[in-house]
Amino acid sequence: HLSTIMSGSSPSVGGEAGLGVSGAASDLPFPSLWVYMVEKAYHPERYLPVHNVSYHDIPPNDFGHPGIYREMTFIPTGQVIKEKIYWDEGTGDVSFYHQEKDEVIHNKYHKDKRVIEYWKENRQRQRVHWDVPRDIILQSIAATEEKAKNHS
């Protein structure tokens, strides 16, 4: 999702995401963070410059995890992004499967480190370089934490 919508943008002062970006450790309880990690799947316009968001429920994946199919338009370029999104509360992972590219974006809460990390992998589950500005990711993680803090 972010790799698609941000391609072509110049790297920020903070550089590129590379093989992943993590926020700072948080003392917020996981259930509070999880609500907003999943909310971002349904309402990306609260986190990213997108509009024309539509989604519908889809059957669980092979592991029984719930999901949605989502389409949205990235405002700066007009590009339509199509994804299947699944989440697994047990592992703290929200996975965004791009429907037109060999990529999956993960937004995961690492319970042992108490951090949210975003990264990109291919469909063979190998991490791959992500050319999204790391500041964009850190802003999204911060927005998730801020929402959780204000509503916990």
Side-chain angles (χ1 to χ4, degrees):
H1 76 321
L2 281 177
S3 63
T4 300
I5 62 180
M6 296 305 298
S7 62
S9 64
S10 60
S12 65
V13 174
E16 295 181 342
L19 296 178
V21 175
S22 296
S26 172
D27 290 329
L28 293 167
F30 171 68
S32 297
L33 289 166
W34 184 247
V35 167
Y36 294 99
M37 289 176 69
V38 173
E39 184 219 35
K40 193 166 61 156
Y42 289 97
H43 298 288
E45 70 280 3
R46 297 177 184 170
Y47 301 83
L48 300 167
V50 299
H51 67 157
N52 297 334
V53 177
S54 64
Y55 60 85
H56 62 269
D57 291 333
I58 56 176
N61 65 10
D62 293 343
F63 303 103
H65 304 143
I68 61 173
Y69 174 83
R70 178 178 81 187
E71 292 187 11
M72 61 187 179
T73 302
F74 183 57
I75 293 169
T77 65
Q79 181 179 14
V80 175
I81 299 143
K82 301 174 183 181
E83 302 168 300
K84 287 185 179 177
I85 305 166
Y86 296 98
W87 50 91
D88 177 5
E89 187 172 3
T91 64
D93 187 43
V94 182
S95 304
F96 300 79
Y97 292 82
H98 196 290
Q99 295 303 287
E100 296 168 339
K101 294 185 178 182
D102 176 28
E103 65 183 38
V104 181
I105 303 301
H106 291 274
N107 297 181
K108 181 180 175 80
Y109 180 75
H110 295 281
K111 295 175 184 177
D112 57 337
K113 300 175 189 171
R114 300 181 349 267
V115 299
I116 297 173
E117 180 189 19
Y118 290 13
W119 74 90
K120 179 171 114 174
E121 38 180 66
N122 59 26
R123 297 284 174 111
Q124 292 73 47
R125 301 192 54 84
Q126 301 163 322
R127 284 194 189 218
V128 294
H129 182 82
W130 197 11
D131 62 357
V132 172
R134 67 183 288 111
D135 291 350
I136 296 289
I137 296 170
L138 290 171
Q139 289 168 11
S140 182
I141 291 170
T144 302
E145 292 172 343
E146 189 64 26
K147 287 177 179 291
K149 180 180 177 182
N150 290 335
H151 294 97
S152 59

